[in-house]
Amino acid sequence: MNVGIDGIEIRTGRLKLDLPGTFAPAKGEDPGKYTKGLGLHVSALPDAYEDIVTMAANASRRLLERKNVSPADIGRIDVATESAFDNSKPVSTYVAGCLEQVFDGDFTHANKGERKFACVSGTQVLDDAFNWVRAGRSRGRAALVVATDTALYARDDPGEATQGAGAVAMLVDRDPDLVSFGDAQGIGSVDETDFLKPNQQFPSVDGKRSMQVYLARMREALQDFARNGGDIHPDTFSLVPFHTPFPGMVRKAAALGFRHSIRDTSVEDRLADQIGRQPRPEAFDDHEAYLDGIKSYTDELRQTTTYEEWYERTVEPTLDIAREVGNWYSGSVHVARTAGLKHAFETDRALTGKNLLVASYGSGAQAEIHAETVQPGWRDEIAQLNIDEQLDRRYDLTFEEYEAIHDVHNHDETTDLEPFTTPTEEFVFDGWGRMGERKYTYVE
Ligand code: HMG
């Protein structure tokens, strides 16, 4: 059975913080730290009337409308988030409630839930939907899967420059228009304390360690994928979308992944004249010397035309949107997939039947790797995205305005602030109900 993503919609927060132009001068940092070092230009942030529910519902509404799907056609609504505001009632119930305000019919018979495992939950919900359809329990209906987060850090935390806010809504169904999922899956999962939010809104982060943990779990997932029937040869994949907390992280992960995937292949043989063969652990008496050897090999590998061309073709295009929005946590790898396909559409690449290798990651920590095959309807799907218009219409914050909106979204602060933008044809947060629930309205 051919199952995968039938349609996708992205919704960005309506505000933006210019990192080199506004954030760097206020922090007394060189703008190059953000644009060249981290690879980020802008953080997307939510206006006062936006949150994880409005962004998820707005992305979902556009998706259902343009795919001509009614509530009765949806058998499952799963939300992935690490920004939930309720320990009992899942965000998916709020999203369903919003959608029922504008669609005929209801989601009474749709199974709803919420998934948590930092950023990798955005891929786990896809996996759950895939398994549900494949198990024959969907009764011909599709799953609505949404990854939504406001990825905010405490002010002055090193992670502050990587903030972002947005949602990605996806329909998972048989005979999908966009991509189908392969069966092979690789997992690398270890109990880690690199990034966590123990009953607190903003994360406790050991930033440098989190980068090492990301790379270690990705390596384990890639090994697991290869051992279990996954083909990892670099020529197999047209695009390799990674979880992108910031593009600089992906630059590091891609080099390690490429090195691993060319081992014992003709690519390694061809490169041997230029940079030698990869060091093998058995050739070294001590592990440190092996690590030094492999690091030097990787540094040289990154300078080769073979690597540069592979990176430019398969990874760089996936970073186009992340640079303009920052980290969306659970949605980040889905933004990367979309950016890669959008770039391919705009540059007229023929991708039908071609493969993607999707590398997801969540702190705490787990990486997941699987392959996808691009479907014949992909161009029509991607042509209908309106992400460029959304990015262009964002309100550009001053640093003082950024501080004010950060306070508005800080659960420990009570700050009243007039919104910077005017909502039209969208769901907005509308205050609190008598039991402390959040309330939402659709604004014409
Ligand atoms: P930092 O310590 O402020 O930055 O924070 P830095 O000094 O390490 O500089 C960053 C890079 O910019 C470095 O490059 C510098 O050399 C370079 P690198 O050496 O790493 O290649 N640089 C410059 N380049 C050009 N011109 C300049 C310049 N100045 C410096 N003038 C850190 C960096 C990542 C620690 C911080 O942003 C952070 O804590 N981020 C949050 C944690 C994070 O994103 N971790 C990533 C892996 S974990 C993950 O992805 C999971 C996550 O999404 C959460 C989840 O799963 O839920 C975060």
Side-chain angles (χ1 to χ4, degrees):
M1 197 194 289
N2 198 22
V3 179
I5 304 175
D6 192 44
I8 195 161
E9 278 296 334
I10 299 184
R11 179 76 181 199
T12 177
R14 294 199 56 181
L15 307 178
K16 68 175 188 178
L17 176 64
D18 181 323
L19 293 172
T22 306
F23 188 72
K27 294 284 171 184
E29 295 277 7
D30 181 335
K33 172 172 174 180
Y34 305 110
T35 54
K36 298 199 184 82
L38 297 176
L40 288 170
H41 293 252
V42 173
S43 302
L45 297 168
D47 206 340
Y49 56 84
E50 292 185 293
D51 66 12
I52 50 170
V53 172
T54 65
M55 294 186 297
N58 287 319
S60 302
R61 182 185 65 87
R62 191 167 194 273
L63 180 61
L64 299 189
E65 265 176 10
R66 77 172 177 73
K67 298 292 287 185
N68 201 17
V69 168
S70 69
D73 303 322
I74 298 293
R76 191 177 173 102
I77 306 180
D78 280 325
V79 172
T81 187
E82 52 176 294
S83 322
F85 45 77
D86 193 310
N87 288 324
S88 174
K89 185 174 155 60
V91 171
S92 50
T93 59
Y94 285 97
V95 172
C98 286
L99 296 174
E100 284 171 356
Q101 292 181 35
V102 296
F103 284 96
D104 288 336
D106 57 57
F107 297 97
T108 304
H109 303 296
N111 192 359
K112 306 180 189 82
E114 187 175 301
R115 256 286 194 169
K116 176 175 70 182
F117 196 148
C119 307
V120 79
S121 63
T123 294
Q124 291 179 318
V125 279
L126 276 184
D127 201 31
D128 292 343
F130 170 71
N131 293 332
W132 172 74
V133 177
R134 288 278 291 260
R137 305 186 79 177
S138 67
R139 291 185 247 146
R141 297 170 299 168
L144 172 63
V145 165
V146 195
T148 183
D149 271 301
T150 46
L152 296 179
Y153 289 76
R155 292 236 284 283
D156 296 326
D157 186 290
E160 193 181 7
T162 69
Q163 294 179 130
V168 182
M170 294 167 275
L171 273 181
V172 176
D173 207 350
R174 289 174 180 213
D175 301 325
D177 283 338
L178 194 64
V179 292
S180 67
F181 302 138
D183 284 339
Q185 183 178 48
I187 300 284
S189 187
V190 174
D191 177 11
E192 295 276 7
T193 48
D194 54 323
F195 171 111
L196 56 158
K197 303 177 187 172
N199 285 327
Q200 64 196 44
Q201 183 189 5
F202 300 134
S204 299
V205 198
D206 184 341
K208 300 282 188 235
R209 202 177 120 60
S210 76
M211 295 168 71
Q212 295 312 316
V213 174
Y214 177 117
L215 297 175
R217 303 292 83 81
M218 279 291 184
R219 192 193 62 240
E220 291 156 2
L222 192 63
Q223 286 167 338
D224 194 42
F225 179 75
R227 272 191 223 111
N228 291 288
D231 176 359
I232 61 168
H233 193 285
D235 294 347
T236 307
F237 299 103
S238 298
L239 291 168
V240 183
F242 280 88
H243 167 58
T244 311
F246 51 92
M249 183 74 240
V250 174
R251 274 200 303 267
K252 293 180 202 297
L256 301 195
F258 185 81
R259 187 195 72 213
H260 188 85
S261 65
I262 63 167
R263 195 173 294 167
D264 297 324
T265 68
S266 56
V267 183
E268 185 186 15
D269 296 343
R270 278 202 305 277
L271 287 168
D273 285 347
Q274 277 179 64
I275 58 171
R277 299 186 70 77
Q278 297 193 28
R280 304 301 203 261
E282 49 281 9
F284 291 82
D285 289 337
D286 80 286
H287 193 60
E288 288 303 312
Y290 165 67
L291 291 181
D292 287 346
I294 202 84
K295 183 175 177 315
S296 310
Y297 177 87
T298 312
D299 289 344
E300 286 186 53
L301 177 65
R302 287 172 77 155
Q303 312 298 321
T304 62
T305 315
T306 304
Y307 179 75
E308 281 175 357
E309 285 178 357
W310 173 81
Y311 185 84
E312 278 300 310
R313 192 176 64 253
T314 62
V315 181
E316 184 67 22
T318 69
L319 306 175
D320 285 353
I321 300 177
R323 247 183 236 108
E324 301 302 319
V325 300
N327 190 358
W328 285 9
Y329 287 161
S330 59
S332 161
V333 70
H334 309 299
V335 167
R337 179 201 293 102
T338 311
L341 291 172
K342 181 169 173 289
H343 184 273
F345 172 75
E346 287 162 355
T347 53
D348 232 1
R349 271 176 88 181
L351 279 195
T352 301
K354 298 282 192 328
N355 299 307
L356 316 184
L357 188 67
V358 181
S360 306
Y361 175 75
S363 286
Q366 178 163 308
E368 192 264 11
I369 290 188
H370 69 265
E372 299 178 356
T373 305
V374 181
Q375 299 298 297
W378 77 276
R379 294 188 66 85
D380 288 346
E381 272 306 306
I382 295 299
Q384 294 184 63
L385 289 172
N386 70 349
I387 184 65
D388 288 336
E389 294 100 274
Q390 289 188 54
L391 295 178
D392 288 348
R393 73 170 183 174
R394 287 179 298 177
Y395 178 87
D396 192 3
L397 296 162
T398 64
F399 192 75
E400 292 68 32
E401 289 170 339
Y402 155 67
E403 289 187 309
I405 198 72
H406 194 282
D407 285 349
V408 167
H409 292 291
N410 182 340
H411 298 169
D412 294 332
E413 304 262 348
T414 317
T415 311
D416 275 334
L417 185 74
E418 279 301 307
F420 296 100
T421 58
T422 307
T424 41
E425 297 185 359
E426 62 194 286
F427 296 104
V428 297
F429 168 63
D430 195 20
W432 305 89
R434 78 184 165 88
M435 290 178 73
E437 76 276 22
R438 292 172 76 88
K439 296 178 80 71
Y440 299 93
T441 319
Y442 186 75
V443 173
E444 295 293 343

